[in-house]
Amino acid sequence: MPNDKPVSQQTLLSHDLRHEKGAVTPPIYQSSLFTFSDYDSMIARFRGESDQPLYSRVDNPTVRALQEKVAALEGGEACLAFGSGMAAISNAILSVLQPGAKVVCVNHVYPDTYRFLRGFCQRFGITTEFVDGDDEEAIRAALPGASLLYLESPVSWVMSELNLNKLATLARDAGAVTIIDNSWASPIFQQPLLCGIDIVVHSASKYISGHSDVVAGLVIASQQHIGNIARHISPFLGGKLSAHEASLLMRGLRTLPLRMKQHHQSGMELAQKLRAHPQITAVCHPGLAPKSWSSLRGYSGLFAFEVTEQIDIPAFCNALQYFHMGVSWGGFESLVMPAISVINQASEFNSAVDFGVSPRLIRISIGLEETEDLWNDLQQALATATRA
């Protein structure tokens, strides 16, 4: 008798139907081209009457297996995989916009998304209005005439959470498509499509990979939105994902729920301890002040804290033993990145400067090391960096 009960995310990610020749994991189809047994088979594929793979820039069986798994995980109808998170973001955005379009985007968005909207898109007469994501009335006032409302939740650097259900309704009423970057929470802790968001993007290099060995991106949405990207955008921008990288992402997905639980537990514990430290003036972590309307089911290990003027930030970073300095996050390793390093960058469109990120802010990504070891490391680094 078939089991009609909904399957858990853990089981979804740990269990596959049998693959070719009984393989436990999807085979890696390391082939650029897929040929046809006869003329009629080729014609059927070109007519859309067959799902036989054609060419790996647009269709690879290993990548397809990943896409199907991620679509189910996010509660979406379809998914497309790309060679980077930024490829996923740019493909999704360009699929919505026409020359001269208007975009509304929340403040503190991912820096390269900010540069893409402020720089690249302006070449085509596309304008972007940046609005405080916490100010729903400001977003409502900005939306008339907009084609797109672009979101992150929580947002970069300051980690404030947005009311996705409310913002999805505001955008829908205004006739705007919504896109959200869901990399911070992963599908384990947030499923924006269930809140009414139209398109979800991920930097799969982060938690979905979890091993800091893949650069990749994902877009999840309805068949209609994904079909639009697949027909009109992605074949011509060429940002494909390789079969080998798709296989590594499938490996990462197997342990994603377990890893996210650990990131949640360690991140919350360290955020609470840092908040009580005398040299910390603020901790930016959505779990410290949860919202009644929150769409988050948990919290990742990425947050930020602000240090007093007594802390020598370079000395603090150099004193750390278990935290490396790096620009990414979401892997097994713990990382820090001081905001001042970004603020001092010479850049035409510097989001940290334009959005007023504090130079005393330090972003921290909690990995999978023992939480007590990480806390001891933070304590000794803060003590070392405290000016007399």
Side-chain angles (χ1 to χ4, degrees):
M1 185 174 181
N3 183 1
D4 295 328
K5 294 182 179 179
V7 68
S8 70
Q9 288 182 313
Q10 179 67 55
T11 300
L12 170 67
L13 295 179
S14 298
H15 179 75
D16 290 354
L17 297 176
R18 284 173 57 86
H19 296 292
E20 185 179 350
K21 299 187 184 301
V24 175
T25 59
I28 300 176
Y29 287 86
Q30 196 69 43
S31 179
S32 61
L33 175 67
F34 299 89
T35 58
F36 298 89
S37 59
D38 54 59
Y39 176 84
D40 289 341
S41 297
M42 175 177 276
I43 295 302
R45 175 62 177 82
F46 288 153
R47 288 176 175 170
E49 299 168 355
S50 165
D51 63 355
Q52 179 178 334
L54 178 68
Y55 187 59
S56 279
R57 177 163 59 84
V58 294
D59 188 15
N60 178 280
T62 313
V63 176
R64 183 189 297 175
L66 168 69
Q67 292 172 163
E68 291 172 352
K69 187 76 75 173
V70 171
L73 184 63
E74 272 285 10
E77 293 178 353
C79 170
L80 283 176
F82 296 89
S84 70
M86 200 59 223
I89 291 167
S90 58
N91 273 264
I93 289 175
L94 292 175
S95 72
V96 173
L97 303 180
Q98 297 291 331
K102 175 185 174 181
V103 178
V104 177
C105 180
V106 294
N107 293 345
H108 294 288
V109 73
Y110 173 59
D112 277 346
T113 304
Y114 179 71
R115 284 188 279 269
F116 180 73
L117 291 170
R118 286 286 313 275
F120 182 88
C121 288
Q122 281 193 344
R123 300 179 185 182
F124 306 98
I126 296 168
T127 59
T128 303
E129 182 174 350
F130 292 91
V131 183
D132 182 354
D134 292 325
D135 191 338
E136 293 172 12
E137 289 308 311
I139 292 177
R140 187 195 306 273
L143 276 172
S147 301
L148 170 65
L149 174 61
Y150 190 91
L151 308 167
E152 289 181 11
S153 185
V155 297
S156 298
W157 284 112
V158 297
M159 310 297 166
S160 58
E161 185 184 357
L162 308 184
N163 189 332
L164 299 189
N165 287 283
K166 178 65 70 65
L167 296 182
T169 299
L170 291 178
R172 187 164 50 250
D173 290 346
V177 172
T178 45
I179 298 177
I180 187 170
D181 186 332
N182 196 36
S183 304
W184 186 95
S186 87
I188 302 303
F189 289 152
Q190 186 168 251
Q191 292 173 297
L193 297 176
L194 303 184
C195 299
I197 300 297
D198 295 306
I199 301 173
V200 173
V201 296
H202 283 276
S203 172
S205 320
K206 308 301 193 290
Y207 287 118
I208 287 176
S209 164
H211 292 75
S212 296
D213 54 6
V214 178
V215 175
L218 299 162
V219 180
I220 308 96
S222 65
Q223 289 284 2
Q224 180 179 354
H225 282 300
I226 293 299
N228 181 40
I229 299 171
R231 287 189 298 272
H232 303 301
I233 306 295
S234 62
F236 312 113
L237 298 186
K240 77 170 189 67
L241 184 71
S242 76
H244 179 67
E245 289 170 313
S247 179
L248 290 175
L249 290 176
M250 286 289 284
R251 177 203 60 184
L253 284 174
R254 308 297 187 190
T255 60
L256 180 61
L258 302 175
R259 288 186 286 105
M260 294 307 295
K261 288 179 183 178
Q262 186 61 52
H263 289 304
H264 167 99
Q265 179 180 328
S266 296
M268 280 297 302
E269 182 177 340
L270 292 174
Q272 291 165 347
K273 289 183 174 181
L274 282 167
R275 183 170 59 173
H277 194 282
Q279 296 299 340
I280 306 300
T281 60
V283 177
C284 304
H285 188 302
L288 296 180
K291 310 295 186 183
S292 61
W293 42 255
S294 177
S295 56
L296 292 171
R297 298 189 296 268
Y299 308 103
S300 75
L302 184 72
F303 61 99
F305 60 93
E306 192 169 342
V307 296
T308 67
E309 294 289 342
Q310 287 182 279
I311 297 295
D312 182 319
I313 291 177
F316 167 77
C317 293
N318 291 335
L320 290 166
Q321 298 173 5
Y322 294 121
F323 290 84
H324 298 298
M325 284 175 280
V327 299
S328 191
W329 45 270
F332 59 88
E333 75 284 8
S334 290
L335 300 166
V336 296
M337 184 173 180
I340 191 66
S341 64
V342 179
I343 291 170
N344 287 338
Q345 285 182 1
S347 174
E348 183 180 4
F349 303 115
N350 190 323
S351 60
V353 173
D354 295 346
F355 294 136
V357 174
S358 169
R360 307 302 299 170
L361 201 66
I362 297 173
R363 192 183 72 187
I364 184 169
S365 176
I366 306 303
L368 300 178
E369 300 92 344
E370 181 63 43
T371 310
E372 184 177 355
D373 293 334
L374 295 178
W375 175 236
N376 290 337
D377 194 22
L378 289 168
Q379 284 185 296
Q380 68 81 21
L382 287 166
T384 300
T386 301
R387 299 185 180 97

